[in-house]
């Protein structure tokens, strides 16, 4: 392999490692929800706020990302993000109270903006024919991070229940959730160190009129005979807008008539990607599996399957994104997601819940379990009805604490069908709209405003994600899992219709050619 190819893959791999740290940070919280609820005596909205705090943090960061990447450069901004991840991981693991925990998670959310910076940076150093693969590495790293987090949670959970002396000595059994969250520290530190190796973005160097340095960077990642043409294309693209623009001018350009189609595509993708409910499933994986009637330990082990499927299908998406094309992958993936969520809705909607006398007698861990005798042999048509009956009978605290065990006993549900639906949904997302959105974001914006445009639409993605994460526990408690998943499917269907009309193919096009393809047709 030529040196420039090795360099391109090396730099992209290092930058995309931010996706791995993001995945670790995002999914570790999934194993801590029950512990956090008990530790800080949280209700559903407080738990949602704890899990969603990071997503709200990224909203603040994205207001400044455009300025940061243009002012100090993509590389320096990424290094700052890595440092913030490290500080947040330490703060989350050692948080003495709820508000300190919220603050540390919020701080970590500031670093989530590194995903948009990573896609921007990789898109700027990657040759057009490799751009899809290299930018998709971000998504691969995210899902590998997710998988690692689920495995770490499962491993620590098993240690905590093992009764081993060394576990007690280290406090893993009493501070289980702190060990889960603290495991992120080493990965954040490693990424911070590796970012020293990468060069500064050639696009940013051209923006700053450092042409010599830009050429030096390009020589590391593309053939020598293409360097001059690449520099010329960048300069010509900038000349069409009068050179480097202020942040406000770049922001206004996003809403201009020439960018109308680009705006519609980007906004729809930004909302639809997170409106799938992907982060509700990923960040609350054990909670979701408990709704299938699994116990806590089984739910932790099943969550690992989400990580495995994520890795397999993200790699598959990476292998075909530059062959199949962006449009068929996005549209086909969204249809696949709708069908998968529909399967889950059907499975949950047809479930019933009933406790037998034998079920009640087996609940030895529940104090005064005879309180449940009034519910024996009664059938409930939904999880909401059953949970309401438990709350009236046991009181809110005991109903919440023992709901997993009670659902496991009472559920008459087609768990296999729903499990297939959930894993199919994960496969659809991770192989299509998950990674391909980042590929499109790295392609559809002109050089003149991409420093602002990408963070603006990632902001829209993040605010959608924030609402999904924050309100999922409330939806679960008040609407039920089936209705919640149906809501996600309906939202995705609206996005599918819009993108079917407006989305263009950008495969193998230079950034300049993409702009011509997306320009509104003159009447």
């Amino acid at each position: 392999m030529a040196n420039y190819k090795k360099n391109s893959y090396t730099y992209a791999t290092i930058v995309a490692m931010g996706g791995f740290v993001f995945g670790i940070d995002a999914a570790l919280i999934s194993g801590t929800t029950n512990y956090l609820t008990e530790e800080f005596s949280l209700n559903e909205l407080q738990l949602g706020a704890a899990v969603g705090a990071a997503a709200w943090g990224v909203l603040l960061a994205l207001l400044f990302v455009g300025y940061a990447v243009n002012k100090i450069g993509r590389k320096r901004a990424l290094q700052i993000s890595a440092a913030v991840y490290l500080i947040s991981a330490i703060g989350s693991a050692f948080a003495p109270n709820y508000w300190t925990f919220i603050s540390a998670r919020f701080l970590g959310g500031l670093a989530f903006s590194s995903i948009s910076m990573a896609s921007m940076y990789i898109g700027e150093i990657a040759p057009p024919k490799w751009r899809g693969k290299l930018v998709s590495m971000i998504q691969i790293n995210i899902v590998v991070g997710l998988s690692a987090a689920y495995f770490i949670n499962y491993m620590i959970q098993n240690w905590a229940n093992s009764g081993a002396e060394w576990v007690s000595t280290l406090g893993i059994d009493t501070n289980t959730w702190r060990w889960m969250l603290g495991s992120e520290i080493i990965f954040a530190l490693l990424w911070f160190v590796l970012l020293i190796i990468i060069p500064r973005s050639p696009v940013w160097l051209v923006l700053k009129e450092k042409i010599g340095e830009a050429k030096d960077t390009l020589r590391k990642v593309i053939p020598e005979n293409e360097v001059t043409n690449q520099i010329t294309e960048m300069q010509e693209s900038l000349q069409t807008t009068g050179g480097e623009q202020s942040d406000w001018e770049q922001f206004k350009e996003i809403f201009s008539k020439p960018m109308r189609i680009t705006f519609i595509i980007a906004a729809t993708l930004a909302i639809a990607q997170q409106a799938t409910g992907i982060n509700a499933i990923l960040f609350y994986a054990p909670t979701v599996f408990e709704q299938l009637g699994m116990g806590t330990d089984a739910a932790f082990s099943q969550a690992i399957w989400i990580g495995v499927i994520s890795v397999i299908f993200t790699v598959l998406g990476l292998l075909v994104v530059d062959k199949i094309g962006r449009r068929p992958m996005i549209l086909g993936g969204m249809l696949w997601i709708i069908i998968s969520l529909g399967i889950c809705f059907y499975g949950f909607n047809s479930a019933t819940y009933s406790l037998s006398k034998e079920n009640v007698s087996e609940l030895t861990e529940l104090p005064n379990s005879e309180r449940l005798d009034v519910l024996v042999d009664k059938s409930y048509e939904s999880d909401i009805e059953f949970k309401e009956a438990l709350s009236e009978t046991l009181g809110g605290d005991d109903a919440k604490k023992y709901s997993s065990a009670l659902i496991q006993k009472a559920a008459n549900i087609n768990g296999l069908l729903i499990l297939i639906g959930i894993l199919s949904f994960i496969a659809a997302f991770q192989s299509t709209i998950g990674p391909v959105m980042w590929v499109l974001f790295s392609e559809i914006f002109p050089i003149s405003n991409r420093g602002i445009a990408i963070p603006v639409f990632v902001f829209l993605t993040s605010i959608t994600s924030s609402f999904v994460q924050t309100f999922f526990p409330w939806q679960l408690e008040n609407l039920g899992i089936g209705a919640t998943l149906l809501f996600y499917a309906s939202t995705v269907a609206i996005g599918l219709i819009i993108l079917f009309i407006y989305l263009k193919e950008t495969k193998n096009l230079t950034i300049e050619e993409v702009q011509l393809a997306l320009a509104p047709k003159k009447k």
Side-chain angles (χ1 to χ4, degrees):
M1 181 183 289
N3 283 335
Y4 70 87
K5 292 183 180 180
K6 292 179 182 177
N7 289 336
S8 294
Y9 279 99
T10 298
Y11 301 148
T13 300
I14 291 173
V15 172
M17 187 182 171
F20 178 87
V21 181
F22 168 84
I24 284 279
D25 189 284
L28 285 173
I29 192 75
S30 69
T32 69
T33 52
N34 289 336
Y35 293 108
L36 291 173
T37 299
E38 186 172 351
E39 177 93 8
F40 300 127
S41 302
L42 307 181
N43 60 35
E44 286 77 19
L45 287 178
Q46 288 173 325
L47 176 61
V51 174
W56 292 105
V58 72
L59 298 182
L60 177 62
L62 288 170
L63 297 176
F64 303 99
V65 164
Y67 173 81
V69 295
N70 287 337
K71 185 70 175 178
I72 64 176
R74 284 57 157 156
K75 175 178 177 176
R76 187 60 56 83
L78 284 166
Q79 289 176 312
I80 292 173
S81 292
V84 172
Y85 267 130
L86 181 60
I87 296 169
S88 170
I90 295 171
S92 299
F94 292 95
N97 54 57
Y98 176 67
W99 288 109
T100 303
F101 181 83
I102 286 278
S103 300
R105 292 291 298 168
F106 183 86
L107 180 64
L110 300 178
F112 282 13
S113 58
S114 62
I115 300 299
S116 66
M117 292 186 280
S119 67
M120 185 188 306
Y121 179 93
I122 295 173
E124 291 171 354
I125 66 164
K129 64 180 180 180
W130 299 345
R131 191 186 303 124
K133 288 186 177 67
L134 295 183
V135 174
S136 293
M137 288 174 64
I138 298 171
Q139 189 68 22
I140 283 189
N141 275 270
I142 290 175
V143 299
V144 171
L146 291 170
S147 300
Y150 294 136
F151 179 77
I152 289 169
N153 283 345
Y154 176 69
M155 182 175 63
I156 293 176
Q157 176 77 9
N158 279 348
W159 287 346
N161 295 331
S162 68
E165 184 177 347
W166 65 272
V167 168
S168 179
T169 301
L170 294 176
I172 296 176
D173 53 344
T174 54
N175 293 291
T176 308
W177 67 271
R178 296 184 187 276
W179 278 90
M180 289 176 177
L181 297 179
S183 64
E184 179 188 349
I185 295 172
I186 188 170
F187 302 110
L189 179 60
L190 178 61
W191 188 44
F192 178 79
V193 173
L194 288 175
L195 284 171
I196 297 171
I197 298 172
I198 69 171
R200 291 189 288 184
S201 161
V203 171
W204 182 76
L205 292 169
V206 170
L207 280 171
K208 298 301 178 182
E209 299 183 353
K210 298 181 179 182
I211 306 303
E213 291 184 53
K215 288 182 177 179
D216 290 340
T217 296
L218 285 173
R219 289 189 184 101
K220 296 177 181 178
V221 296
I222 63 174
E224 176 69 33
N225 60 1
E226 296 179 13
V227 171
T228 300
N229 288 339
Q230 194 88 339
I231 293 291
T232 301
E233 286 185 2
M234 292 179 189
Q235 291 174 318
E236 289 176 351
S237 179
L238 288 173
Q239 287 172 0
T240 61
T241 58
E244 184 179 5
Q245 304 179 86
S246 69
D247 291 345
W248 177 243
E249 288 172 331
Q250 292 181 54
F251 183 77
K252 288 194 298 182
E253 186 182 349
I254 296 171
F255 300 91
S256 66
K257 186 175 180 180
M259 286 197 65
R260 178 172 57 86
I261 294 176
T262 301
F263 179 91
I264 293 171
I265 293 170
T268 304
L269 273 174
I271 295 171
Q273 195 216 44
Q274 289 302 313
T276 59
I278 184 64
N279 282 342
I281 304 298
L282 296 179
F283 295 4
Y284 295 93
T287 302
V288 171
F289 283 119
E290 284 177 0
Q291 306 306 304
L292 296 179
M294 298 177 176
T296 300
D297 291 343
F300 269 88
S301 64
Q302 290 296 331
I304 294 176
W305 280 106
I306 288 182
V308 172
I309 294 295
S310 293
V311 172
I312 292 172
F313 280 87
T314 301
V315 171
L316 179 62
L318 173 67
L319 293 175
V320 302
V321 65
D322 286 324
K323 296 178 182 178
I324 296 178
R326 286 51 159 161
R327 178 181 164 87
M329 288 190 71
I330 287 287
L331 299 182
M334 293 176 77
L335 180 60
W336 184 3
I337 285 169
I338 293 168
I339 293 171
S340 300
L341 291 175
I343 291 171
C344 294
F345 167 73
Y346 173 79
F348 280 116
N349 199 49
S350 59
T352 59
Y353 301 82
S354 178
L355 285 171
S356 67
K357 187 68 176 177
E358 184 180 358
N359 292 152
V360 174
S361 64
E362 291 172 350
L363 291 167
T364 55
E365 69 274 22
L366 174 64
N368 302 319
S369 60
E370 63 274 6
R371 289 178 290 170
L372 292 171
D373 288 346
V374 296
L375 304 183
V376 168
D377 295 332
K378 290 185 178 180
S379 181
Y380 298 90
E381 298 300 316
S382 72
D383 55 327
I384 290 296
E385 288 184 16
F386 182 62
K387 289 176 183 177
E388 287 176 351
L390 291 178
S391 184
E392 291 175 4
T393 304
L394 301 179
D397 291 340
D398 277 355
K400 186 182 301 183
K401 184 174 182 180
Y402 297 101
S403 64
S404 174
L406 289 165
I407 289 175
Q408 183 182 5
K409 298 289 186 184
N412 178 20
I413 190 169
N414 192 335
L416 179 60
L417 177 67
I418 297 172
L419 180 62
I420 290 172
I422 291 174
L423 295 181
S424 175
F425 164 64
I426 296 297
F429 181 91
Q430 301 294 18
S431 61
T432 60
I433 192 171
V436 180
M437 186 191 80
W438 297 109
V439 175
L440 282 168
F441 277 11
S442 75
E443 295 176 331
I444 63 178
F445 301 112
I447 291 175
S448 60
N449 68 19
R450 59 184 21 239
I452 293 295
I454 292 178
V456 163
F457 289 100
V458 174
F459 180 90
L460 191 55
T461 295
S462 299
I463 197 167
T464 307
S465 175
S466 301
F467 281 109
V468 168
Q469 294 174 52
T470 301
F471 289 101
F472 180 71
W474 181 89
Q475 288 177 302
L476 202 62
E477 191 68 21
N478 294 276
L479 302 179
I481 183 70
T484 300
L485 296 179
L486 182 62
F487 171 77
Y488 295 151
S490 302
T491 308
V492 175
I494 295 171
L496 174 61
I497 294 170
I498 296 172
L499 291 174
F500 181 81
I501 297 170
Y502 289 101
L503 184 60
K504 312 292 183 181
E505 183 54 66
T506 60
K507 181 180 69 171
N508 293 333
L509 301 181
T510 66
I511 292 175
E512 291 71 29
E513 291 169 338
V514 171
Q515 306 317 305
L516 293 175
L518 296 179
K521 294 180 179 179
K522 295 182 180 180
K523 297 181 179 179

